[in-house]
Amino acid sequence: MIRKIARPMLASVYIADGADTLLNTQAHVEGTEVVLDRIRYVLPRKYAKRISSDPELVTQIIGGTKVGAGSLLALGRAPRLSAAALAAVTVPTILARNAFWETQDSEEKRNRRNGFVTNVALLGGLFITTVDTEGKPGVKWRATKAAQQGKKQVQQALPTKSETEKMTGKASDWFQDTSEKVSEYAHVAQDYVDDNKDDWIKTAKDTATKATGKASAYAHIAQGYLDDNKDDWLKAAQKNTDTAKKGAVKAASKAQEKANFALKVADETTGRAAKKASKNANKLQNQADKSLNKAQKKLKKFNV
């Protein structure tokens, strides 16, 4: 309940000051320009160049920020963020209006000092508001609590020492049982081989004997077939040999006839046609010679 009263009271100061700044901008431009010059003097040159050179615009921005953030604080909307914004724009206001160390007039110095103290007090109230969580856990506390909760859940998920030992014992028992079963199966297989190897050897010998007998029978059949048909095969081979001899002689005779005819044509013709006929006769004669040589080779082969 106290927050609903205190926040509008604190915000009213800044809302009124911001409204006055917007309505009477020219009255506050000089102070803003002084503050901007001091900021440029303190900052490095590359950052000082980025500071706005329009003090009137900066004054309006500061006034608008005070009105907007003050209104949000009074309504209780984002109070911590709005209080931080008001604290940020209060500092240049103090330097612009309440720099009591810059004046020599005693009355003005006293007024500036009173304003300085008042604004500092208000700034303290803003700082308190920025860290006010309304009884709710802060970000740091919530982060720490979340980390502790996560650590606890991880520890709960991990197996305890007794569970680990139990799992190890089960795995050891399983491996031992498996090893015993494998050994038992191996003995059973060995006994089965010992009991049946004689039968397997006998079966293999019988199969080999049967195969040998069949092979011998097939050999006798093949020999009988060869004896029955060798005379017919020999006659057929001789007949084929005679046919081949006749074909070779006939081919050689035919080639020689062509060569003789071409030679005769060459003798009967004259001029260019005679040359062509003579060339053709020579070509045919070579072919006839080759056919004759081939026939002679075949005849020699068959005689052998």
Side-chain angles (χ1 to χ4, degrees), residues 44-281:
R45 181 174 296 180
K46 61 178 181 179
Y47 298 113
K49 291 180 179 180
R50 300 180 182 179
I51 301 299
S52 177
S53 58
D54 188 355
E56 184 177 354
L57 177 61
V58 175
T59 301
Q60 291 175 349
I61 292 174
I62 292 174
T65 302
K66 288 181 178 180
V67 173
S71 300
L72 290 175
L73 179 61
L75 295 173
R77 304 293 183 183
R80 299 173 66 184
L81 181 60
S82 57
L86 290 173
V89 296
T90 298
V91 175
T93 301
I94 294 174
L95 296 177
R97 301 179 189 175
N98 307 120
F100 61 89
W101 56 85
E102 292 183 351
T103 181
Q104 301 297 327
D105 185 82
S106 58
E107 183 69 21
E108 185 177 0
K109 180 177 288 190
R110 184 169 55 254
N111 292 335
R112 288 190 179 186
R113 186 184 294 111
N114 291 336
F116 181 83
V117 174
T118 301
N119 280 286
V120 169
L122 293 172
L123 186 61
L126 292 174
F127 285 155
I128 293 174
T129 305
T130 58
V131 295
D132 180 22
T133 61
E134 302 182 20
K136 298 178 182 179
V139 176
K140 182 179 179 181
W141 185 89
R142 284 181 286 178
T144 304
K145 193 69 176 178
Q148 293 175 353
Q149 188 67 21
K151 184 177 180 181
K152 185 177 180 180
Q153 291 177 354
V154 171
Q155 290 177 348
Q156 290 177 351
L158 294 174
T160 60
K161 183 177 180 181
S162 59
E163 291 176 345
T164 304
E165 292 175 352
K166 188 183 295 183
M167 292 173 63
T168 304
K170 288 182 179 180
S172 178
D173 294 339
W174 182 84
F175 281 116
Q176 186 174 359
D177 294 341
T178 304
S179 177
E180 291 176 356
K181 289 182 179 179
V182 171
S183 177
E184 182 180 353
Y185 294 153
H187 286 300
V188 171
Q190 184 64 40
D191 293 339
Y192 182 77
V193 171
D194 293 338
D195 293 340
N196 294 278
K197 63 180 181 180
D198 294 334
D199 295 336
W200 295 343
I201 293 172
K202 184 179 179 181
T203 302
K205 288 181 178 180
D206 293 340
T207 303
T209 303
K210 290 180 181 179
T212 304
K214 287 184 178 181
S216 178
Y218 291 150
H220 287 298
I221 292 172
Q223 184 63 40
Y225 182 76
L226 180 61
D227 293 338
D228 294 339
N229 294 280
K230 62 181 181 179
D231 294 334
D232 296 335
W233 294 344
L234 182 59
K235 290 178 181 180
Q238 290 176 350
K239 185 178 180 180
N240 291 335
T241 301
D242 294 338
T243 302
K245 288 179 178 180
K246 291 178 181 179
V249 173
K250 187 175 181 180
S253 299
K254 191 173 181 179
Q256 186 61 48
E257 289 177 358
K258 288 183 179 180
N260 294 333
F261 178 75
L263 184 59
K264 182 179 180 181
V265 172
D267 292 338
E268 293 176 356
T269 57
T270 58
R272 183 178 296 179
K275 290 182 180 180
K276 186 175 181 181
S278 177
K279 186 176 181 181
N280 188 27

